[in-house]
C-alpha cells in the first residue's frame, strides 16, 4: 500500500465547507485486505506513516482526482478511488455532484476521450436519479456502466487487471438498484430485475473464471471471490440457493494465492453466506455452518457491530443445535433479546416459553429466515424436558406414559403415546439419547453410563 | 371420447364422431403457429367445458374405461389452460378454473399408478400438476381468493418442498387453516411419523389423501429405519399389527413385503417380529414398490 500525497488544487483556492465536501483517506477501502490493515496498524503504532486526506469540494476536483488515479493504471490507485464510483459512498450526497448531465457543468474536460469519462458521467447521473428516487432510471444507467466496463475494459484488456477493483463496486450498486426498482417501480418493467442482474454478473464472472493467465498482476481470476460474494447476495435474494453450489466448488479449487489476496470484507461475507447456505442444506451440514459462521464472526472487526449481529442471528441457532447454549450476556450485547425465550426454552425444556418466544417474535425470525431452523430446536426442547423427567424419576427405566403426561402438562398438542415414542425414537437416532424403547412395555430404557450425549460439535 | 362408442373395440374408420361430444384439444405451440382470437374460448365456455369433462369422470367409473377417460381429460384440461394463459384472465377466474382441475390431477395420479395405465407418463403428469399449481398460486398472490381445501392440497402435495413453511406464511398469511398446515409441515420436518400417518388416516376427502399419499413411501422407509435403531434392542419385540397401524398400512401383508425388501428377508418375517439384528438393504425412495404406497 503506497502513500499518495495528492493535494487538491481547490485546497489552495478556498477553504471547503464541511457540508459540501468529501474526504477520502488514502486507506483504500472500508475493509482493507488483511495484509494492508496489518501494515496500517503497525505503522500507526510506529507513527512514521501519515495518511493524507484528499478533499473534494467541486465536480472539477472530483473528476480530476478520479481520472488522475485511474490513469495510473495501478491496482492500488484504482482501489483507492473505487469508492468514488460507488453509489453507496457519501460523495453521492454532495449537491455539486448530483448532475443529471455533467456535460453542462464542465464541457471542457481534460479526459473527455477516456472511457472513464463516460462512466463518471453516468455514475453521477445515476446518483442524481437516486436522489430523486427514480430508481428504475438509475438502474438502467448502472446497467450501462457495467456493460461499458465489460465491453471496453474486461473483454478488451488482456494482460492487465488494474481496473478490477471497480467490478465489485459496480455490481454491488447494480444489485441494490435492482432491488429498489423492484420495490418501487414494478409497473415500469414487469420482468424480474434480480434475474437480469444475476445473468449480467454471471457473464462477468465467467470472463474472470475462464482467464488462464498465471500472473497475479494480469489474471482476471483475482476478481472471482468478490464476484462470488455478489452472486451469493443475488441468489440469496432470489432464493435460488441451489445455484451457489458450483460457485462454492470454484472457490474450493482456486489456487491458494488467490485466497490470500481476499479482502477482509470478502472473507467475512463469503463465510457468512457459506454458513447460511449450509443451514438451509439441512441437519447434516450443521458442522459446516458452524465452522463458516465462526470464521465470519471471528474475522469480522468489532467495530462492525451490525455485521457481527447479522452473523450471530444465524450462528446462535446452529450453536444451539450442536448443543451449546448462548449466554444472556451475548444476547444483550448484540441486542438479540428475541432469542432469550428460545434459549431458555431449549436449555430448561420449557416448551411453553419456547413456543411463546417463537410466536411473539415470529416476524423477526421469519424475516431473518431462521424460523424453520428454530422450529427444528423443538427436538432439543423435548430432550431437555425428558432429561428433567429422568432427573426426577432417577431411574434408567422411564415410562412413555409419564413422558406423554409431562408433554401434555407443558402444553404440547400430543394425545398419542405413539407420538411420545416417536419423539424419543428421533432423539435416539439423532444420537442425543443412548438407549432404546420397548414397544410392548412402553418403556424407555436408558444406558446406565452417560445416557445423554453432551455436545455434538466436532 | 368424442364418438358414439368410445370404449368399443373397433377400427378408427368405423368410429362415428358425435359433434356434441367434441372438445377442443391441446395444440402444441410452435414458432410458426399463429393463435387466432376466434379460437380462444372465453371464460364462460371454459367453465362449461371443465364441468362437462368432470362430468365424464362420474359417467365412466369402471377401471377398464379409465385409460381412455384419463388420456382425454388430461389433454383437454391442458387445452383449457392454454386458452386461460393466452387471454390473461383475472386472478379469480383463473383460480375458479384451476381449482376444478386440481382434484382430477391428484386423484388421477394414484389411479394411474394403481392400475398401471399404459399412456400414463409420470413425469409429464407431475409437470402438468406443477404447472397447474404454480398458476393457481400466482393467481392467489395476485389477489384471487382461494379455497381452504385446495390450499391444503397444495401444502400436502409440496410437503417436502424446501421453503413450503415460508410460502404458507407469505402467501396464505397467519390463519387458523394455515396454522394447522404449519403444524403438519413442522411434524414432517421433525420426523413425527406418528402425526403424519394419523392425519393421513383421518383424511376423508379423496384428493387430499392422494395429495399426501405421494410422501407415504419415503416416510415409511425413514420411519422403519428410525424404528430399527430405536426399537432394535435384544429381546424387544414389535407386534406387526401395531407397526402396520402406526404406518397406516392397509394390511400386514403389505407391511411384510416392505420389511422383506428393506431388511433383506427373503425367507419371510420372523414371528414374533423384532428389529434386533436386522441389517438394512441399500434402497432409496426411487426403488420403492407399490406396497410402500399402499393405503
Amino acid at each position: 500500500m503506497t502513500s499518495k500525497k495528492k493535494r487538491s488544487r481547490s485546497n489552495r483556492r478556498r477553504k471547503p465547507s464541511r457540508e459540501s465536501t468529501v474526504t477520502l483517506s488514502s486507506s483504500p477501502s472500508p475493509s482493507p485486505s488483511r495484509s494492508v490493515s496489518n501494515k496500517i496498524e503497525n505503522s500507526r503504532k510506529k507513527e512514521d506513516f501519515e495518511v493524507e486526506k484528499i478533499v473534494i469540494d467541486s465536480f472539477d476536483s472530483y473528476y480530476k482526482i478520479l481520472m488522475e488515479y485511474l490513469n495510473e493504471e495501478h491496482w492500488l490507485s484504482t482501489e483507492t478511488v473505487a469508492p468514488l464510483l460507488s453509489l453507496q459512498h457519501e460523495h453521492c450526497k454532495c449537491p455539486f455532484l448530483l448532475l443529471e448531465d455533467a456535460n453542462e457543468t464542465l464541457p471542457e474536460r481534460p479526459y473527455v476521450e477516456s472511457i472513464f469519462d463516460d462512466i463518471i458521467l453516468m455514475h453521477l447521473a445515476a446518483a442524481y436519479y437516486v436522489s430523486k428516487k427514480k430508481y428504475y432510471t438509475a438502474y438502467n444507467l448502472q446497467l450501462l456502466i457495467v456493460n461499458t466496463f465489460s465491453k471496453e475494459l474486461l473483454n478488451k484488456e488482456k494482460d492487465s487487471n488494474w481496473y478490477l477493483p471497480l467490478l465489485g463496486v459496480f455490481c454491488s450498486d447494480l444489485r441494490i438498484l435492482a432491488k429498489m426498482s423492484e420495490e418501487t417501480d414494478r409497473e415500469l418493467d414487469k420482468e424480474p430485475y434480480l434475474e437480469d442482474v444475476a445473468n449480467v454478473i454471471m457473464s462477468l464472472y465467467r470472463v474472470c473464471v475462464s482467464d488462464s493467465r498465471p500472473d497475479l498482476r494480469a489474471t482476471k481470476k483475482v476478481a472471482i471471490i468478490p464476484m462470488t460474494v455478489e452472486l451469493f447476495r443475488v441468489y440469496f435474494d432470489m432464493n435460488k440457493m441451489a445455484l451457489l453450489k458450483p460457485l462454492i466448488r470454484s472457490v474450493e479449487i482456486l489456487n491458494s494465492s488467490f485466497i490470500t489476496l481476499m479482502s477482509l470484507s470478502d472473507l467475512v461475507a463469503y463465510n457468512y453466506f457459506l454458513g447460511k447456505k449450509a443451514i438451509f442444506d439441512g441437519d447434516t451440514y450443521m458442522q459446516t455452518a458452524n465452522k463458516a459462521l465462526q470464521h465470519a464472526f471471528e474475522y469480522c472487526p468489532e467495530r462492525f457491530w451490525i455485521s457481527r449481529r447479522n452473523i450471530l442471528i444465524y450462528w446462535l441457532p446452529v450453536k444451539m443445535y450442536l448443543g451449546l447454549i448462548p449466554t444472556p450476556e451475548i444476547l444483550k450485547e448484540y441486542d438479540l433479546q428475541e432469542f432469550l425465550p428460545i434459549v431458555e426454552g431449549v436449555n430448561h425444556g420449557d416448551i411453553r416459553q419456547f413456543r411463546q418466544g417463537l410466536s411473539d417474535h415470529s416476524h423477526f425470525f421469519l424475516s431473518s429466515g431462521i424460523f424453520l431452523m428454530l422450529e427444528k430446536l423443538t427436538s432439543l426442547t423435548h430432550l431437555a424436558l425428558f432429561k428433567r423427567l429422568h432427573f426426577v424419576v432417577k431411574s434408567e427405566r422411564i415410562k412413555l406414559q409419564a413422558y406423554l403426561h409431562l408433554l401434555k402438562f407443558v402444553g404440547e398438542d400430543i394425545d398419542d403415546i405413539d407420538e411420545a415414542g416417536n419423539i424419543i425414537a428421533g432423539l435416539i437416532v439423532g444420537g442425543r439419547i443412548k438407549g432404546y424403547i420397548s414397544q410392548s412395555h412402553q418403556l424407555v430404557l436408558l444406558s446406565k453410563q452417560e445416557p445423554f450425549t453432551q455436545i455434538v460439535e466436532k | 371420447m368424442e364418438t358414439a362408442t368410445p370404449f368399443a373395440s373397433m377400427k378408427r374408420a368405423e368410429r362415428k364422431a358425435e359433434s356434441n361430444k367434441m372438445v377442443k384439444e391441446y395444440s402444441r405451440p410452435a414458432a410458426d403457429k399463429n393463435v387466432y382470437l376466434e379460437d380462444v374460448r372465453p371464460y364462460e365456455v371454459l367453465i362449461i367445458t371443465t364441468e362437462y369433462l368432470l362430468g365424464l369422470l362420474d359417467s365412466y367409473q369402471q377401471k377398464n374405461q379409465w385409460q381412455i377417460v384419463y388420456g382425454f381429460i388430461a389433454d383437454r384440461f391442458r387445452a383449457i389452460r392454454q386458452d386461460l394463459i393466452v387471454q390473461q384472465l383475472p386472478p379469480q377466474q383463473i383460480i375458479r378454473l384451476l381449482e376444478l382441475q386440481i382434484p382430477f390431477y391428484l386423484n388421477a395420479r394414484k389411479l394411474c399408478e394403481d392400475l398401471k395405465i399404459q399412456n400414463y407418463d409420470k413425469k409429464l403428469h407431475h409437470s402438468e400438476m406443477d404447472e397447474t399449481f404454480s398458476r393457481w398460486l400466482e393467481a392467489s398472490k395476485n389477489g384471487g381468493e382461494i379455497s381452504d381445501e385446495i390450499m391444503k392440497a397444495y401444502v400436502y402435495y409440496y410437503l417436502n418442498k424446501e421453503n413450503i413453511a415460508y410460502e404458507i406464511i407469505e402467501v396464505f398469511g397467519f390463519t387458523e387453516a394455515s396454522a394447522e398446515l404449519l403444524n403438519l409441515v413442522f411434524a414432517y420436518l421433525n420426523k413425527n411419523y406418528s402425526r403424519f400417518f394419523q392425519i393421513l388416516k383421518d383424511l376423508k376427502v379423496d384428493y387430499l389423501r392422494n395429495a399426501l399419499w405421494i410422501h407415504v413411501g419415503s416416510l415409511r422407509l425413514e420411519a422403519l429405519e428410525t424404528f430399527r435403531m430405536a426399537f432394535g434392542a435384544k429381546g424387544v419385540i414389535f407386534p406387526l399389527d401395531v407397526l402396520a397401524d402406526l404406518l397406516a398400512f392397509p394390511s400386514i401383508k403389505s407391511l411384510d413385503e416392505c420389511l422383506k425388501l428393506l431388511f433383506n428377508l427373503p425367507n419371510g418375517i420372523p414371528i414374533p417380529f423384532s428389529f434386533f439384528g436386522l441389517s438394512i438393504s441399500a434402497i432409496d425412495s426411487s426403488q420403492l414398490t407399490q406396497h410402500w404406497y399402499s393405503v
Side-chain angles (χ1 to χ4, degrees):
Chain A
M1 171 65 200
T2 57
S3 161
K4 286 275 173 190
K5 291 186 190 275
K6 293 272 180 190
R7 292 182 67 201
S8 160
R9 284 189 201 130
S10 63
N11 260 351
R12 292 182 223 132
R13 279 192 235 118
R14 61 183 166 87
K15 198 176 175 182
S17 71
R18 272 197 193 156
E19 291 78 28
S20 61
T21 58
V22 172
T23 52
L24 185 75
S25 72
S26 295
S27 178
S29 66
S31 301
S33 66
R34 281 165 284 161
S35 57
V36 170
S37 65
N38 285 341
K39 241 190 228 169
I40 292 173
E41 258 325 298
N42 290 335
S43 62
R44 275 188 196 140
K45 284 178 198 162
K46 288 178 191 167
E47 289 178 7
D48 60 353
F49 186 91
E50 281 197 9
V51 174
E52 175 123 356
K53 288 205 190 303
I54 302 155
V55 177
I56 293 164
D57 58 356
S58 65
F59 170 74
D60 182 34
S61 54
Y62 168 82
Y63 180 86
K64 285 185 177 149
I65 282 163
L66 250 182
M67 289 310 304
E68 279 169 14
Y69 272 69
L70 290 170
N71 282 337
E72 290 191 18
E73 295 191 359
H74 190 282
W75 180 284
L76 288 172
S77 306
T78 311
E79 207 176 23
T80 301
V81 293
L84 288 179
L85 286 170
S86 165
L87 290 170
Q88 297 159 71
H89 190 257
E90 52 182 339
H91 74 274
C92 292
K93 290 180 192 158
C94 295
F96 57 84
L97 292 178
L98 299 177
L99 302 165
E100 193 176 2
D101 186 359
N103 272 316
E104 292 169 6
T105 312
L106 195 70
E108 303 298 324
R109 298 183 301 281
Y111 305 101
V112 75
E113 295 300 321
S114 162
I115 195 65
F116 284 110
D117 179 271
D118 290 339
I119 287 177
I120 290 170
L121 263 58
M122 284 192 282
H123 165 69
L124 294 181
Y128 169 82
Y129 286 113
V130 168
S131 72
K132 300 287 179 205
K133 298 194 188 334
K134 291 186 178 174
Y135 301 113
Y136 181 67
T137 315
Y139 165 75
N140 281 305
L141 274 166
Q142 192 66 25
L143 203 52
L144 208 49
I145 290 173
V146 170
N147 288 336
T148 306
F149 180 89
S150 170
K151 192 176 152 195
E152 300 298 331
L153 285 160
L154 197 66
N155 286 299
K156 276 188 182 168
E157 294 279 331
K158 298 291 179 194
D159 293 315
S160 62
N161 61 14
W162 58 268
Y163 44 86
L164 286 179
L166 294 173
L167 194 53
V169 162
F170 292 157
C171 291
S172 176
D173 283 346
L174 186 69
R175 178 180 51 82
I176 292 169
L177 284 172
K179 277 178 80 171
M180 290 164 99
S181 300
E182 206 159 71
E183 280 165 25
T184 57
D185 296 328
R186 205 72 187 90
E187 68 285 354
L188 291 173
D189 188 340
K190 296 236 187 290
E191 292 301 315
Y193 290 83
L194 282 176
E195 210 162 303
D196 289 342
V197 169
N199 290 336
V200 165
I201 299 179
M202 192 39 123
S203 67
L204 299 169
Y205 174 85
R206 283 196 192 105
V207 170
C208 297
V209 160
S210 58
D211 188 355
S212 53
R213 286 170 186 74
D215 185 0
L216 285 178
R217 286 167 298 181
T219 180
K220 296 184 177 73
K221 274 202 160 82
V222 295
I224 284 180
I225 288 173
M227 297 302 288
T228 301
V229 169
E230 275 311 310
L231 282 167
F232 273 10
R233 291 186 205 280
V234 173
Y235 289 143
F236 260 99
D237 284 341
M238 290 166 68
N239 203 20
K240 289 193 173 176
M241 277 169 278
L243 296 174
L244 270 61
K245 215 170 167 183
L247 299 176
I248 294 169
R249 226 177 297 129
S250 296
V251 171
E252 282 170 358
I253 61 171
L254 208 54
N255 194 300
S256 57
S257 50
F258 293 109
I259 307 291
T260 54
L261 286 176
M262 215 186 205
S263 75
L264 195 60
S265 67
D266 282 342
L267 175 75
V268 170
Y270 179 79
N271 278 295
Y272 168 71
F273 285 113
L274 197 67
K276 263 178 92 164
K277 186 190 178 299
I279 290 173
F280 291 113
D281 281 344
D283 301 354
T284 47
Y285 296 92
M286 286 302 159
Q287 298 288 0
T288 308
N290 183 45
K291 211 168 151 187
L293 291 168
Q294 180 175 0
H295 214 74
F297 190 77
E298 285 176 359
Y299 276 96
C300 186
E302 281 189 22
R303 67 182 185 279
F304 295 106
W305 184 87
I306 295 175
S307 300
R308 283 165 75 88
R309 182 176 184 268
N310 287 341
I311 295 167
L312 273 178
I313 286 172
Y314 291 92
W315 198 22
L316 287 174
V318 171
K319 277 290 199 200
M320 284 196 276
Y321 186 87
L322 293 173
L324 288 170
I325 304 296
T327 61
E329 287 75 31
I330 199 161
L331 298 182
K332 195 173 172 189
E333 187 186 342
Y334 287 96
D335 191 21
L336 288 169
Q337 309 288 56
E338 293 89 346
F339 281 93
L340 203 56
I342 310 297
V343 169
E344 289 298 305
V346 171
N347 200 16
H348 303 299
D350 190 339
I351 291 173
R352 204 172 266 130
Q353 191 177 22
F354 174 80
R355 292 223 183 275
Q356 193 62 49
L358 270 184
S359 168
D360 289 346
H361 305 292
S362 57
H363 182 74
F364 170 76
F365 295 137
L366 281 166
S367 57
S368 306
I370 54 168
F371 189 87
L372 276 186
M373 176 70 212
L374 292 174
E375 180 61 44
K376 284 186 189 178
L377 296 177
T378 309
S379 66
L380 293 185
T381 319
H382 287 148
L383 172 67
L385 189 67
F386 186 75
K387 281 182 183 175
R388 285 170 75 181
L389 178 60
H390 172 251
F391 180 76
V392 165
V393 166
K394 289 184 173 43
S395 167
E396 272 67 48
R397 297 161 68 92
I398 299 174
K399 287 184 183 173
L400 272 176
Q401 189 63 44
Y403 187 52
L404 172 65
H405 186 78
L406 191 55
L407 285 167
K408 283 161 84 165
F409 178 74
V410 296
E412 278 293 73
D413 174 27
I414 291 180
D415 277 326
D416 202 327
I417 201 166
D418 288 329
E419 232 180 294
N422 205 147
I423 290 172
I424 301 297
L427 291 169
I428 291 172
V429 170
R432 312 278 187 181
I433 294 179
K434 278 191 201 163
Y436 63 91
I437 307 171
S438 166
Q439 166 63 25
S440 44
H441 296 106
Q442 298 283 282
L443 270 179
V444 181
L445 294 110
L446 298 172
S447 163
K448 287 194 174 109
Q449 287 170 346
E450 285 189 46
F452 305 109
T453 48
Q454 289 304 308
I455 293 170
V456 180
E457 186 178 17
K458 286 176 193 137
Chain B
M1 293 301 296
E2 295 165 319
T3 64
T5 50
F7 306 104
S9 179
M10 52 173 63
K11 287 182 187 161
R12 195 188 169 94
E14 289 168 8
R15 290 199 184 273
K16 196 177 163 195
E18 291 194 346
S19 58
N20 63 329
K21 287 184 180 179
M22 286 177 182
V23 181
K24 182 182 170 190
E25 64 177 1
Y26 173 70
S27 169
R28 195 172 295 278
D32 59 349
K33 231 185 216 175
N34 292 322
V35 174
Y36 297 105
L37 197 60
E38 54 267 26
D39 292 342
V40 177
R41 293 164 288 179
Y43 170 71
E44 295 72 22
V45 173
L46 292 176
I47 282 284
I48 292 168
T49 309
T50 306
E51 286 170 353
Y52 166 73
L53 290 167
L54 290 173
L56 293 177
L57 286 173
D58 293 331
S59 305
Y60 303 109
Q61 293 190 27
Q62 290 177 46
K63 287 180 183 169
N64 62 349
Q65 296 172 328
W66 175 246
Q67 177 156 325
I68 294 172
V69 170
Y70 166 72
F72 181 72
I73 296 178
D75 179 83
R76 298 320 189 254
F77 270 175
R78 212 172 167 194
I80 287 171
R81 287 200 306 278
Q82 201 171 32
D83 280 358
L84 180 160
I85 296 159
V86 158
Q87 62 191 295
Q88 295 185 343
L89 293 174
Q92 201 57 57
Q93 289 182 349
I94 294 175
I95 284 171
R96 172 104 171 86
L97 279 167
L98 295 179
E99 287 194 347
L100 288 170
Q101 290 191 1
I102 286 167
F104 162 77
Y105 280 107
L106 290 169
N107 289 336
R109 180 182 172 142
K110 182 148 189 324
L111 203 46
C112 285
E113 292 196 14
D114 283 349
L115 298 176
K116 294 186 178 37
I117 296 299
Q118 269 183 347
N119 61 342
Y120 169 70
D121 181 329
K122 197 171 175 175
K123 267 190 185 159
L124 177 63
H125 187 94
H126 185 66
S127 80
E128 291 197 20
M129 186 82 256
D130 272 349
E131 189 226 322
T132 310
F133 263 135
S134 126
R135 293 200 187 280
W136 169 85
L137 191 71
E138 194 60 39
S140 160
K141 284 179 186 174
N142 290 334
E145 241 182 77
I146 55 172
S147 89
D148 281 353
E149 296 300 302
I150 302 295
M151 178 172 75
K152 269 188 197 168
Y154 176 83
V155 172
Y156 288 171
Y157 190 76
Y158 291 111
L159 198 56
N160 58 346
K161 196 171 161 189
E162 233 172 59
N163 60 342
I164 187 68
Y166 290 112
E167 218 167 54
I168 293 172
I169 296 162
E170 193 191 312
V171 182
F172 308 128
F174 278 109
T175 61
E176 213 177 290
S178 66
E180 199 186 302
L181 290 171
L182 278 171
N183 278 336
L184 173 63
V185 171
F186 296 147
Y188 178 86
L189 283 174
N190 289 321
K191 314 273 186 236
N192 190 339
Y193 311 112
S194 197
R195 181 164 292 201
F196 173 88
F197 286 109
Q198 192 55 52
I199 289 173
L200 181 72
K201 282 191 276 188
D202 291 343
L203 279 174
K204 302 287 176 249
V205 178
D206 271 348
Y207 70 84
L208 289 179
R209 272 173 67 92
N210 293 333
L212 208 50
W213 165 76
I214 60 167
H215 307 291
V216 156
S218 55
L219 268 182
R220 280 174 175 160
L221 176 63
E222 264 184 49
L224 287 171
E225 287 171 344
T226 300
F227 292 167
R228 184 186 77 94
M229 285 186 69
F231 296 91
K234 193 174 180 182
V236 172
I237 61 166
F238 205 123
L240 286 175
D241 57 334
V242 172
L243 188 56
D245 182 56
L246 203 64
L247 300 180
F249 277 101
S251 66
I252 292 178
K253 187 174 182 301
S254 337
L255 171 62
D256 272 359
E257 295 302 320
C258 298
L259 292 175
K260 274 186 212 168
L261 176 69
L262 181 61
F263 299 121
N264 199 18
L265 300 165
N267 300 326
I269 312 298
I271 304 292
F273 176 73
S274 170
F275 283 103
F276 178 68
L278 295 180
S279 56
I280 286 192
S281 312
I283 61 170
D284 61 46
S285 51
S286 62
Q287 295 166 276
L288 300 178
T289 57
Q290 220 170 346
H291 295 290
W292 288 89
Y293 292 92
S294 56
V295 287

